[in-house]
């Protein structure tokens, strides 16, 4: 990472009360080496761990602490929030994560975070039990869903003598993620489908499946964070729209097909994560079907295969499919990759296990196997939000390689 690659000029570094505050001067120095201007805001507790004078001397600016400052900078929280291109809070205490989650504005740092419109990055550092506590984990999930970025924490030996997750990320990695991240798809248009579709039988009934849309929504959020302009074509789900993503809500497979075809030509990358119904009723009854017959036969017709249609376009985007399989995962996924002429297929097992829990569909965790024409690899089971970040990085790198190849041959 060198200066010319770095579009960030003004970083507001928040320092909160934790042992790792002694690392803040090094973070300031390393950011300055990248040509970044750093201003520091510290909490009252942070002062117990690191001196204001040190941070002031290294940053070359006064350190901001008090929301009611004594001089003429009366709207400091707003001015600082406007000034910053990015806010980095390192180390970020458990307390500060909780404050941010609940929208507290009881000190300068929490107030300006609330007023800020720029990206916010938190580098947590705390005892491993504090990190794993459900209260903290709940807060972290909420902040992530609002677009706040987490850098770390790392695992290892802790100042308290315990071992586990909670250490401040190693500074090289922290700065790498802070400066480089999220721009892998800069300038790219990404079209994503998510959720199930509903195929009406009559005015009150429909055929559908167990897809929750969580994977597609997580991918949309991560692609947006990676700098892409994202259009999400979504079937009926109960999820909040990801930040700064264009959403097109649809119900049936036919509506999803139309929405995708309208956007596919402009897209650089198409990720088909929706569980589109393969069939829909030939006729939709105008009135509610009565319970008069002992047997009811439904006549179904095949729906258009959205992914195949997009991958056969002349000016096709880079196409990624999902294969949700209950059996023969590898064989079926590979067959789909070839038949639909895809650049990548992400396969997972779906269905209910012995305890009645759904795997893949409608769960927060997922375990996938990725196939490309070049080979395959498996990722361990992890949260869909984390998996989505890894998949977006992989998709971006595979896209870049394919694009480079196209332009050098
Ligand atoms: C010696 C000592 C070390 C601490 N280290 C941490 C820490 O590493 N991470 C953390 O979240 N809290 C830590 N705390 C607790 C915080 O300092 C405390 O929650 C404080 O209220 C945080 O305030 P702030 O979020 O406004 O900075 C520590 C407390 C003490 C006394």
């Amino acid at each position: 990472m060198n200066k010319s690659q770095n579009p960030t000029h003004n970083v507001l570094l928040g320092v909160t009360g934790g042992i790792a505050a002694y690392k803040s001067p090094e973070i300031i120095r390393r950011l300055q080496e990248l040509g970044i201007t750093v201003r520091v805001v510290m909490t009252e507790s942070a002062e117990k761990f690191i001196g204001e004078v040190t941070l002031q001397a290294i940053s070359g600016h006064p350190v901001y602490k008090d929301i009611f400052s004594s001089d003429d900078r009366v709207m400091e929280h707003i001015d600082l929030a406007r000034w910053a291109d990015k806010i980095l809070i390192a180390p970020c205490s458990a307390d500060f994560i909780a404050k941010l989650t609940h929208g507290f504005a009881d000190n300068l740092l929490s107030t300006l975070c609330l007023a800020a419109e720029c990206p916010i990055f938190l580098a947590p550092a705390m005892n491993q039990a504090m990190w794993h506590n459900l209260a903290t984990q709940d807060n972290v999930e909420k902040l992530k869903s609002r677009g706040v970025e987490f850098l770390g924490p790392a695992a290892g030996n802790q100042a308290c003598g315990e071992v586990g997750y909670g250490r401040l990320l190693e500074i090289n990695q922290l700065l790498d993620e802070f400066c480089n991240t999220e721009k892998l798809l800069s300038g790219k248009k990404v079209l994503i489908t998510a959720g199930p579709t509903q195929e009406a039988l009559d005015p009150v009934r429909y055929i559908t499946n167990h897809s929750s849309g969580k994977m597609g929504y997580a991918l949309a959020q991560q692609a947006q964070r990676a700098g892409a302009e994202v259009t999400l074509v979504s079937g009926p789900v109960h999820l909040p729209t990801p930040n700064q993503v264009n959403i097109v809500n649809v119900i049936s497979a036919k509506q999803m097909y139309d929405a995708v075809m309208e956007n596919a030509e402009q897209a650089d990358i198409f990720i088909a994560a929706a569980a589109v119904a393969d069939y829909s009723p030939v006729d939709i009854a105008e009135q509610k079907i009565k319970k008069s017959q002992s047997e009811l036969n439904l006549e179904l017709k095949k729906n258009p295969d959205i992914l195949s249609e997009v991958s056969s376009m002349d000016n096709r985007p880079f196409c990624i499919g999902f294969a949700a399989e209950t059996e023969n995962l590898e064989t079926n996924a590979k067959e789909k990759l070839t038949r639909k002429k895809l650049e990548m297929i992400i396969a997972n097992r779906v269905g209910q296990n012995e305890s009645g829990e759904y795997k893949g569909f409608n769960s927060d965790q997922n375990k996938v196997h990725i196939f490309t024409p070049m080979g395959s690899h498996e990722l361990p089971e992890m949260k869909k939000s984390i998996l989505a970040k890894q998949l977006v990085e992989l998709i971006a790198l595979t896209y870049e390689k394919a694009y480079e190849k196209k332009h050098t041959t």
Side-chain angles (χ1 to χ4, degrees):
M1 172 85 188
N2 60 39
K3 280 186 194 182
S4 58
Q5 287 171 295
N6 184 25
T8 303
H9 301 296
N10 297 335
V11 168
L12 194 143
L13 178 70
V15 182
T16 67
I19 301 278
Y22 78 90
K23 295 181 182 169
S24 304
E26 178 66 4
I27 296 174
I28 299 172
R29 210 181 52 73
R30 298 282 299 278
L31 286 168
Q32 288 170 333
E33 282 172 6
L34 297 170
I36 293 170
T37 304
V38 184
R39 289 181 185 253
V40 180
V41 177
M42 68 197 300
T43 63
E44 207 181 321
S45 306
E47 281 191 88
K48 308 260 189 229
F49 297 88
I50 177 110
E52 173 186 352
V53 177
T54 307
L55 296 174
Q56 181 170 322
I58 294 186
S59 68
H61 294 282
V63 170
Y64 305 86
K65 298 184 301 185
D66 192 357
I67 191 163
F68 303 107
S69 55
S70 50
D71 56 26
D72 56 358
R73 297 173 302 182
V74 280
M75 295 297 273
E76 208 153 63
H77 57 294
I78 304 293
D79 293 344
L80 284 168
R82 285 188 190 141
W83 172 84
D85 294 320
K86 284 181 177 180
I87 294 175
L88 168 63
I89 302 184
C92 184
S93 65
D95 171 70
F96 196 78
I97 289 175
K99 277 199 166 85
L100 211 55
T101 308
H102 297 287
F104 277 89
D106 59 351
N107 64 33
L108 180 60
L109 190 56
S110 58
T111 309
L112 74 85
C113 282
L114 212 53
E117 286 176 4
C118 66
I120 299 178
F121 295 74
L122 308 184
M126 66 194 70
N127 163 273
Q128 58 84 25
M130 289 169 78
W131 173 253
H132 288 297
N133 189 296
L134 281 183
T136 305
Q137 288 303 307
D138 242 31
N139 292 338
V140 169
E141 280 309 308
K142 282 196 184 114
L143 288 175
K144 279 186 181 168
S145 73
R146 286 183 217 152
V148 173
E149 290 289 340
F150 278 77
L151 310 171
N157 294 328
Q158 303 206 294
C160 54
E162 294 179 17
V163 182
Y165 275 94
R167 279 172 63 88
L168 187 75
L169 211 56
E170 197 264 319
I171 292 183
N172 277 337
Q173 196 183 341
L174 192 154
L175 293 178
D176 238 32
E177 288 192 21
F178 178 64
C179 298
N180 278 336
T181 46
E182 335 321 338
K183 298 299 152 214
L184 282 170
L185 290 174
S186 189
K188 298 285 171 286
K189 290 191 171 147
V190 177
L191 177 63
I192 301 178
T193 62
T197 61
Q198 291 176 355
E199 312 304 318
L201 289 168
D202 68 15
V204 295
R205 301 186 182 93
Y206 52 79
I207 303 174
T208 190
N209 57 59
H210 290 293
S211 169
S212 64
K214 285 177 187 165
M215 195 67 238
Y217 272 58
L219 284 164
Q221 187 65 86
Q222 292 300 338
Q224 184 276 328
R225 285 187 200 154
E229 186 184 323
V230 180
T231 300
L232 176 63
V233 179
S234 174
V237 296
H238 303 282
L239 296 170
T241 303
N243 285 333
Q244 295 169 50
V245 162
N246 311 312
I247 187 124
V248 183
N249 288 305
V250 298
I251 294 176
S252 66
K254 172 70 173 68
Q255 288 171 351
M256 188 169 273
Y257 171 82
D258 290 342
V260 166
M261 294 323 273
E262 209 178 301
N263 288 280
E265 259 196 27
Q266 300 91 281
D268 298 293
I269 298 173
F270 175 50
I271 307 175
V276 186
D278 291 330
Y279 291 89
S280 56
V282 171
D283 295 309
I284 304 174
E286 275 180 28
Q287 304 302 329
K288 189 178 165 200
I289 302 168
K290 293 288 174 209
K291 207 171 35 175
S292 47
Q293 302 147 265
S294 59
E295 276 184 20
L296 179 69
N297 291 314
L298 294 174
E299 201 183 342
L300 303 175
K301 63 175 190 295
K302 211 168 186 178
N303 284 329
D305 183 332
I306 301 177
L307 184 52
S308 293
E309 293 279 339
V310 174
S311 74
S312 341
M313 284 168 44
D314 285 342
N315 197 8
R316 77 199 276 279
F318 195 78
C319 288
I320 293 124
F322 270 76
E325 304 289 345
T326 52
E327 57 176 359
N328 304 329
L329 183 103
E330 183 162 349
T331 318
N332 290 342
K334 281 183 178 164
E335 184 277 325
K336 201 167 170 183
L337 179 79
T338 317
R339 178 171 43 87
K340 298 197 179 189
K341 300 186 222 77
L342 308 178
E343 273 75 24
M344 185 186 291
I345 194 146
I346 301 158
N348 63 315
R349 279 187 202 289
V350 291
Q352 270 175 300
N353 63 17
E354 306 77 46
S355 4
E357 292 162 342
Y358 285 100
K359 285 163 79 181
F361 274 0
N362 210 2
S363 110
D364 289 326
Q365 304 270 126
N366 209 357
K367 179 174 187 292
V368 299
H369 203 133
I370 299 157
F371 300 90
T372 69
M374 264 73 71
S376 74
H377 70 274
E378 211 170 345
L379 291 178
E381 180 159 336
M382 62 182 96
K383 278 193 173 163
K384 283 182 177 170
S385 55
I386 299 170
L387 176 63
K389 190 160 193 265
Q390 296 198 10
L391 288 176
V392 164
E393 281 167 13
L394 185 71
I395 290 166
L397 294 175
T398 317
Y399 172 84
E400 201 176 304
K401 265 193 209 152
Y403 188 81
E404 266 170 20
K405 203 168 150 205
K406 207 160 129 186
H407 286 79
T408 49
T409 49

